[in-house]
Amino acid sequence: MNAWLAWPRLLLASMALALSSTACALDITLPRETARFKESGLPGYKLVLENCMTCHSAQYVQMQPPSSPRSYWSATVQKMKKPFGAQFADEDIPAMVDYLAKTYGAERTATASMTGK
């Protein structure tokens, strides 16, 4: 058989096969989120709850090095806004950084010893 004559038949057979197999959407149930941000009276706590968990879990924050200085947290929060596109006001950044540095960063032991925790 001439290759040029076989080509349309092969194409039609491939299209028929592709159309006959149905794609089904899968239902996936993810486990409930168990990681939580540490409660705090700092203003940044509520801002972190409102903004950070939109994109990632609290576990992402908990996995950061505990020796991280304030500058690390500042750079991380600013990185979430630009280039990653997190939707929070620039005015909220200092309060969020303060909470993160004092709760998860290098300042946590100083804050904990001052509050007795």
Side-chain angles (χ1 to χ4, degrees), residues 77-93:
V77 171
Q78 290 176 26
K79 175 179 66 176
M80 297 303 160
K81 186 158 176 81
K82 292 180 185 173
F84 294 148
Q87 301 294 309
F88 51 80
D90 288 339
E91 300 81 43
D92 292 341
I93 292 175

Side-chain angles (χ1 to χ4, degrees), residues 14-75:
S14 298
M15 289 175 52
L17 182 62
L19 293 174
S20 68
S21 61
T22 57
C24 298
L26 294 177
D27 250 348
I28 298 174
T29 303
L30 297 175
R32 293 189 60 189
E33 178 62 62
T34 57
R36 302 276 184 255
F37 285 103
K38 293 179 184 175
E39 289 188 41
S40 172
L42 295 169
Y45 171 64
K46 284 187 177 183
L47 294 169
V48 165
L49 286 178
E50 293 169 5
N51 295 292
C52 298
M53 290 185 70
T54 302
C55 298
H56 58 77
S57 72
Q59 191 174 19
Y60 179 81
V61 173
Q62 295 166 356
M63 293 185 325
Q64 302 308 306
S67 60
S68 301
R70 181 173 288 269
S71 59
Y72 170 85
W73 290 106
S74 180

